[in-house]
Amino acid sequence: MKSKAKRIVGWMGAALLTLGLVTSCMERDRLITADKLRPAAAQAFLAESFPGVDVSFAKAETEWFSTEYKVVMVDGMVVVFDGKGNWTDIDCKYGAEVPARLIPPQIAAYVAKHFPEARVLKLERDRRDYEVELDNGFEMKFDLDFRLIDLDD
């Protein structure tokens, strides 16, 4: 009976090890130059939205069946794109702020009304909502109809 239990434990261990190896092989990060950033929509967005800001490095992060692109500017700003070239995250650091033209007008109006002195440091969007982080420590979440659904300080 003991040998049967040992064999089962051994097979389970081998299966877990194999699963771990396969999973680690599926995740892959690689550095790329800004001119190799694909799709071209991401390059166009950077050129239009951040003219004159140099790219420090870009990285393609592949997990299973999706690829995400992370672009880090020399001033510390980070822009993340999905596999289609749509921005999903704009994170500004070291005194920079998200350019006003990139903030949806409804969110900009809410921030101007309720936090007139605040600057938007981070803007993130996905299929369900927008998340905004201000320099005064407030974090807000808006649904896709731009209704405030969460506020945290």
Side-chain angles (χ1 to χ4, degrees):
M1 189 70 165
K2 282 186 177 183
S3 65
K4 186 174 182 179
K6 285 183 180 180
R7 276 188 283 169
I8 290 172
V9 169
W11 281 107
M12 288 176 60
L16 287 173
L17 180 62
T18 302
L19 181 62
L21 289 172
V22 168
T23 303
S24 68
C25 291
M26 294 303 289
E27 298 177 7
R28 199 176 82 174
D29 294 352
R30 66 187 191 289
L31 287 176
I32 57 175
T33 58
D35 62 331
K36 299 283 189 249
L37 186 62
R38 297 289 181 257
Q43 283 185 22
F45 175 84
L46 291 173
E48 180 182 311
S49 301
F50 305 100
V53 179
D54 292 329
V55 172
S56 178
F57 69 91
K59 182 168 68 167
E61 300 176 349
T62 303
E63 285 189 25
W64 291 96
F65 301 109
S66 67
T67 300
E68 183 177 85
Y69 300 94
K70 181 177 185 178
V71 179
V72 179
M73 314 290 196
V74 294
D75 63 359
M77 188 178 316
V78 178
V79 182
V80 180
F81 297 94
D82 64 16
K84 295 179 182 178
N86 302 310
W87 68 266
T88 60
D89 193 349
I90 302 171
D91 190 0
C92 301
K93 300 177 183 179
Y94 312 115
E97 64 184 294
V98 175
R101 66 185 169 278
L102 301 179
I103 303 169
Q106 300 90 330
I107 293 175
Y110 184 91
V111 170
K113 180 178 178 181
H114 297 283
F115 304 99
E117 300 298 318
R119 297 178 312 137
V120 176
L121 299 182
K122 186 173 183 176
L123 182 62
E124 188 175 334
R125 70 177 177 185
D126 60 25
R127 294 177 306 199
R128 295 177 306 274
D129 54 40
Y130 285 83
E131 292 184 30
V132 179
E133 185 178 314
L134 304 178
D135 65 346
N136 62 6
F138 278 92
E139 296 178 12
M140 297 170 280
K141 189 180 284 191
F142 295 86
D143 66 13
L144 294 179
D145 292 324
F146 302 106
R147 294 180 298 234
L148 183 68
I149 57 175
D150 192 18
L151 179 66
D152 194 14
D153 62 348

